[in-house]
Amino acid sequence: MNILILGASSSIGAAIAKYYYKHNLILSSSNINNLESLNEELKNIGSSSIELTEIDLSKNKYEKKIVNKNIDLIINCASSTSNLRNNSQKIIEYKHHAYVDLISPLDLLKILTKNQISKKSKIHYVFINTVISKIKSPGNEIYASYKILQFEYIKIFKLFFKDSFIFTNIVLGAQFDRKKSTTKLERIIKKIDIAIKEQRNEVFFGVE
């Protein structure tokens, strides 16, 4: 299976990459240098098919080779606002956040879905976010609003493309922390894997 992980240098992205190390991995980050240590870790545990690519969601910029690839699964862990409270955001960065958390992931999904339709196969899009995206907690409304908008647009995309892609929305009950014990991390990722295999529309679970 060919798996594209957006935001692979994030805590959750790196943990997912390690779980799927036996598959063909395409790891993306806005800065490819951020993926070097993860690349080495994956090689050390036996991964033999890893491709690193720079996908700058803030500029809606993708490499042509990625757009034309046969991708079975996209796991979107990227966000520029998940760790930012409203009062810490800078006015000059509003376009940056709009592209990372809304526009670029939708554009990429649209392009890749069209490619897969021409190949008569479906792409599975997995959207990972935190519970804040559901409850609009005070001070985090911008992150929540972007995620809600993205979720609603994906539903429209599914109608437009006549269910030509599979969509799974995964809501974590808290911020994902790479410092958690290996056992706890594995339990979290296994839950994500089950949701993907069962092609569930939406799943919510707490982070231990």
Side-chain angles (χ1 to χ4, degrees), residues 148-180:
I148 290 167
L149 274 171
Q150 191 175 147
F151 181 66
E152 292 303 318
Y153 271 115
I154 288 168
K155 289 195 288 187
I156 294 170
F157 276 31
K158 277 185 74 69
L159 289 173
F160 179 80
F161 287 113
K162 298 177 181 177
D163 287 325
S164 295
F165 66 88
I166 303 157
F167 173 59
T168 300
N169 186 44
I170 293 175
V171 182
L172 299 178
Q175 285 285 4
F176 191 90
D177 186 358
R178 195 183 296 196
K179 294 177 183 177
K180 289 180 181 295

Side-chain angles (χ1 to χ4, degrees), residues 41-63:
E41 286 183 66
L42 289 167
K43 286 179 180 176
N44 289 338
I45 61 176
S47 186
S48 59
S49 180
I50 313 165
E51 183 174 341
L52 307 183
T53 183
E54 196 163 279
I55 296 181
D56 191 345
L57 295 175
S58 70
K59 296 175 182 174
N60 211 10
K61 184 179 177 184
Y62 329 110
E63 291 187 39

Side-chain angles (χ1 to χ4, degrees), residues 107-163:
D107 277 351
L108 192 57
L109 174 62
K110 181 179 70 175
I111 292 165
L112 293 173
T113 298
K114 284 181 177 178
N115 285 352
Q116 295 303 92
I117 289 172
S118 67
K119 296 168 186 172
K120 297 182 179 178
S121 62
K122 281 189 178 184
I123 196 165
H124 190 160
Y125 181 72
V126 179
F127 178 35
I128 295 179
N129 52 94
T130 72
V131 69
I132 294 169
S133 68
K134 292 289 183 184
I135 61 175
K136 285 191 177 181
S137 65
N140 294 100
E141 292 90 350
I142 290 175
Y143 168 73
S145 297
Y146 278 135
K147 295 307 172 183
I148 290 167
L149 274 171
Q150 191 175 147
F151 181 66
E152 292 303 318
Y153 271 115
I154 288 168
K155 289 195 288 187
I156 294 170
F157 276 31
K158 277 185 74 69
L159 289 173
F160 179 80
F161 287 113
K162 298 177 181 177
D163 287 325

